Amino acid sequence: MKYFKIDEFKCPCCGKADMDKEFLEKIDKARELAGVPFVITSGYRCSKHNKEVGGKPDSAHTKGLAADIKCIRSRDRFKMIKALIDAGFTRFGIGKNFIHADIDSSKPQEVVWTYYGKE
């Protein structure tokens, strides 16, 4: 990867970073296209950590297919989402200070949801 180290995706609970290769290729490409830093706030999650943070039992994070990216500025959010779409992502969650992006093909595609009220 050009823009990331695998350590950025480690589970804070167990230190595992069992990320999907295609996911890593796509997020690296998206970072290049966006031209703004991507700070990963949540990458791989073991089932224990996923439960602790209130993640859904079938979370894409537990499959190495997702990451949350820190984002607090509107202009950066636009650049990031555009770049993620251009890199092939079709699933997004928008929080107050992060963007969730995943490539979990077992879930509905071409969707955007919000976490407002849940943070």
Side-chain angles (χ1 to χ4, degrees):
M1 289 181 289
K2 182 176 179 182
Y3 294 97
F4 298 99
K5 293 184 172 90
I6 194 65
D7 289 355
E8 296 177 72
F9 297 92
K10 279 185 178 179
C11 176
C13 174
C14 66
K16 211 171 160 188
D18 193 14
M19 297 300 294
D20 180 81
K21 182 181 178 191
E22 179 186 358
F23 174 86
L24 293 174
E25 289 170 357
K26 285 184 177 190
I27 200 164
D28 203 48
K29 179 66 174 172
R31 165 55 186 91
E32 181 177 350
L33 294 170
V36 295
F38 280 24
V39 176
I40 305 302
T41 59
S42 183
Y44 181 79
R45 295 181 192 160
C46 69
S47 57
K48 178 181 175 235
H49 182 66
N50 189 59
K51 187 174 182 178
E52 287 171 356
V53 299
K56 294 187 176 185
D58 65 342
S59 170
H61 286 276
T62 64
K63 303 171 191 174
L65 297 171
D68 295 344
I69 309 159
K70 182 177 180 178
C71 185
I72 53 176
R73 293 178 23 194
S74 178
R75 190 162 313 254
D76 287 348
R77 186 174 294 111
F78 178 85
K79 289 177 184 179
M80 290 174 170
I81 291 171
K82 181 176 184 329
L84 288 160
I85 290 169
D86 290 347
F89 287 87
T90 62
R91 295 179 40 79
F92 304 96
I94 308 296
K96 182 178 178 183
N97 58 7
F98 72 97
I99 297 168
H100 167 97
D102 77 58
I103 60 164
D104 192 338
S105 61
S106 72
K107 300 181 183 308
Q109 301 299 299
E110 298 181 352
V111 294
V112 178
W113 64 90
T114 65
Y115 294 97
Y116 298 122
K118 298 178 187 176
E119 298 177 64

